Amino acid sequence: MPFPLILGAESARRLAVSCQHLAGPQPGGDLEGLRQVLRTLRCLQLDPVNVVARSHLLVLWSRVGDYDPADLDMLLWEERWLFEYWAHAASIVLTEDYPIHQAMMLGYPAGRSGFGRRARDWLEANGGLRQHVLDRLREAGPLPAQAFDDCVTVPWESSGWTHGRNVERMVDFLWLQGQLMVAGREGRRRRWDLAERWLPEWAGSEPLPQEEAVSRAAEHALRALGVARATDIERHFTRDRYPGLAEVLERLERSGRVLPAQVAGGTERWYVHRDVIGLLERDWEPRTTLLSPFDNLICDRERTERLWGFTFRTEMYVPKDKRQYGHYILPILHGERLIGRLVPRLDRRRGLLEIEGVFPEAETPADEVTAEAVGRAVTELGAFVGAREIFYGDKVAEPWRTALQAVGVTG
C-alpha cells in the first residue's frame, strides 16, 4: 500500500531537528524551558569528558541557550523530577518514566551472554557484600562507594578497568537492579541511597506489562527522533530494550498513533508520530548551534550518516598523530544541515576558549553569513562556559577566520 506520508530529505531533516528543539521558537533557559526540552528528549547522556563542559550541559545549552546548571541540579536532587539510570548509555532520565526503566531493573542481569552469566554468578557468590552495602545505607543514609568495606568473597575479575573494583561493581549492579539510586554528586563522585527511600511517592512503582513498557518507550523515542525506522527506534532512548517492537509498531499504526512514511524516495519504512505531524506545516525557523559529541540528535551514528550524509566519529581515543580533526569535536548544526566540525578547548584558568580548528563540509558555502552565524554560536558557547576571550587557531581557513574573529570576543 502507498505510504500516507511522503517526505523529501530536507523535510525529514527539518522535522528531526524541530522535534529536538533545535529549530523554531527557542525554549527559555528557566526551569520550565528545561522541563519542556527534557520531556521531549527523555534522556541526557552522561559522559565524564569536560574539555569545554559536560555533555549533558551542552545538550541543554544547544537548545535553550544560556541557563543556570543549578536549575538542572534542582530538578535532579531537590525535586527528584529526574534521576540517573541507564538509557542508551548512563543518563539522566525522567522520574515519571521509572515504570519504563523497571523492565531493565527487574531483569538485570539478563540474557545468556557470557557477561550476563558471569554477573549473575558473581552476585550470587557475594551476597555478603550486597547485604553490607544495603545495611550501611539503611543505617547511615546516602554514602559514596568509598564508605563501604570490601568484604567480597569472590573478587571481580576483568581485563578492563573494573578488575578488582569489587565495591564499585556491586554498587553498579545494585543500581542497575533498581535497588540503589544516585542521591547526589560531589564533582564526579556519586552518593548512593536506597531506592525505596529516595524515589518520590508520586513516582509509579508498579511494573508495567512488557508490551506497554515497550510501547511507551517507542512513542517517546519516535517523538524525539521526528522520523525514524524501526531500527532507529531500537537504538534510541532505551537502546536494545524493545522486545516485540515490530508488533508494537503495527498496533500503534493501526490505532493511528504513528504513521508510516517514505523518505527521499526510498523503499524503507519510516515512521512519524501523529503528535509531531503539525511541525511539518509550521514556518521554518532555523538556528545555528554547536552539538555535543553525544548529542541526542546524532548519538546514532548510522542514522546521522543516512539522514544527513554526515560521517561523525569522536577522536578522543585516537592517537594524536592519526586524528583527522582534533581531540574534542563539536558538530556544527546550521538550519537542518550538519555543515562541519569545530574543535574547541577551554582554558579555565585563563578564561580562554580556544578554537583549534573549524572544518566545513565540502558542500558548505564559504560565505560570511554562514561563518558569522557559526561565530555567534561560538560566542554564545564562550559566554555559557565562562570564557572571557575567544581565540581562533591556525586551522581556520578564510573567509571563516575573518568572519569568526569579528564576533570572537565575549568581553
Side-chain angles (χ1 to χ4, degrees), residues 232-244:
D232 302 325
I233 296 170
E234 184 74 45
R235 292 196 291 249
H236 201 74
F237 185 33
T238 55
R239 180 178 291 172
D240 298 328
R241 306 206 302 270
Y242 293 91

Side-chain angles (χ1 to χ4, degrees), residues 302-314:
E302 193 272 339
R303 177 176 181 266
T304 301
E305 188 165 352
R306 180 177 292 257
L307 199 53
W308 280 273
F310 188 80
T311 302
F312 180 67
R313 301 290 184 272
T314 59

Side-chain angles (χ1 to χ4, degrees), residues 13-297:
R13 290 192 295 265
R14 287 186 175 185
L15 180 59
V17 169
S18 296
C19 283
Q20 287 279 310
H21 295 285
L22 290 165
Q26 189 171 37
D30 56 6
L31 275 171
E32 188 48 45
L34 296 182
R35 289 183 199 272
Q36 182 183 351
V37 170
L38 289 161
R39 285 190 184 103
T40 299
L41 299 184
R42 311 311 289 196
C43 64
L44 297 175
Q45 180 174 336
L46 292 167
D47 189 89
V49 176
N50 195 19
V51 175
V52 175
R54 294 283 300 279
S55 178
H56 61 287
L57 300 178
L58 285 177
V59 171
L60 291 174
W61 168 81
S62 296
R63 289 152 176 82
V64 306
D66 193 36
Y67 71 97
D68 187 350
D71 285 342
L72 182 62
D73 287 339
M74 180 184 298
L75 293 175
L76 267 165
W77 314 125
E78 295 182 35
E79 294 190 16
R80 304 185 186 184
W81 192 77
L82 302 167
F83 72 103
E84 293 187 17
Y85 194 61
W86 194 269
H88 66 269
S91 301
I92 295 170
V93 297
L94 275 64
T95 305
E96 68 185 54
D97 286 340
Y98 184 83
I100 293 175
H101 297 291
Q102 268 190 306
M104 177 173 175
M105 295 174 183
L106 296 174
Y108 190 87
R112 300 179 180 179
S113 67
F115 178 83
R117 292 194 301 271
R118 188 158 63 94
R120 288 192 293 271
D121 290 344
W122 189 81
L123 286 168
E124 185 176 349
N126 289 288
L129 176 57
R130 172 186 175 277
Q131 196 60 49
H132 165 70
V133 170
L134 296 175
D135 289 346
R136 282 280 286 135
L137 289 172
R138 193 166 285 111
E139 294 164 3
L143 295 169
Q146 292 75 13
F148 305 115
D149 296 331
D150 187 353
C151 50
V152 70
T153 301
V154 178
W156 176 260
E157 295 184 1
S158 168
S159 59
W161 68 272
T162 61
H163 180 75
R165 295 176 178 264
N166 304 309
V167 170
E168 288 90 341
R169 281 279 77 187
M170 179 59 72
V171 168
D172 278 342
F173 284 149
L174 291 174
W175 170 60
L176 291 168
Q177 289 180 338
Q179 298 187 58
L180 302 186
M181 300 189 81
V182 182
R185 281 183 176 264
E186 298 170 4
R188 289 171 56 180
R189 178 179 291 186
R190 295 175 289 184
R191 288 189 296 115
W192 300 95
D193 201 359
L194 299 172
E196 63 195 49
R197 186 160 57 200
W198 191 92
L199 197 66
E201 292 184 3
W202 55 264
S205 57
E206 288 297 319
L208 292 172
Q210 178 177 283
E211 184 178 3
E212 179 61 22
V214 172
S215 182
R216 289 192 195 183
E219 289 195 71
H220 286 326
L222 186 54
R223 279 188 288 255
L225 290 167
V227 56
R229 301 161 299 162
T231 189
D232 302 325
I233 296 170
E234 184 74 45
R235 292 196 291 249
H236 201 74
F237 185 33
T238 55
R239 180 178 291 172
D240 298 328
R241 306 206 302 270
Y242 293 91
L245 178 61
E247 292 77 10
V248 166
L249 287 173
E250 184 178 337
R251 179 172 59 81
L252 290 171
E253 186 178 331
R254 287 199 306 270
S255 70
R257 293 192 63 76
V258 305
L259 295 175
Q262 180 189 59
V263 173
T267 58
E268 289 184 291
R269 195 176 193 84
W270 296 68
Y271 296 93
V272 175
H273 199 283
R274 72 177 183 188
D275 290 351
V276 305
I277 290 290
L279 293 175
L280 290 168
E281 300 176 357
R282 288 188 185 178
D283 290 338
W284 175 239
E285 299 178 45
R287 299 205 299 267
T288 300
T289 192
L290 308 171
L291 303 178
S292 159
F294 309 105
D295 192 277
N296 297 52
L297 184 73

Side-chain angles (χ1 to χ4, degrees), residues 333-353:
L333 178 69
H334 181 62
E336 81 281 354
R337 299 303 301 263
L338 293 165
I339 65 167
R341 299 159 177 80
L342 185 144
V343 180
R345 183 174 64 87
L346 177 64
D347 186 330
R348 292 175 173 82
R349 182 181 60 83
R350 298 166 59 196
L352 175 67
L353 178 61

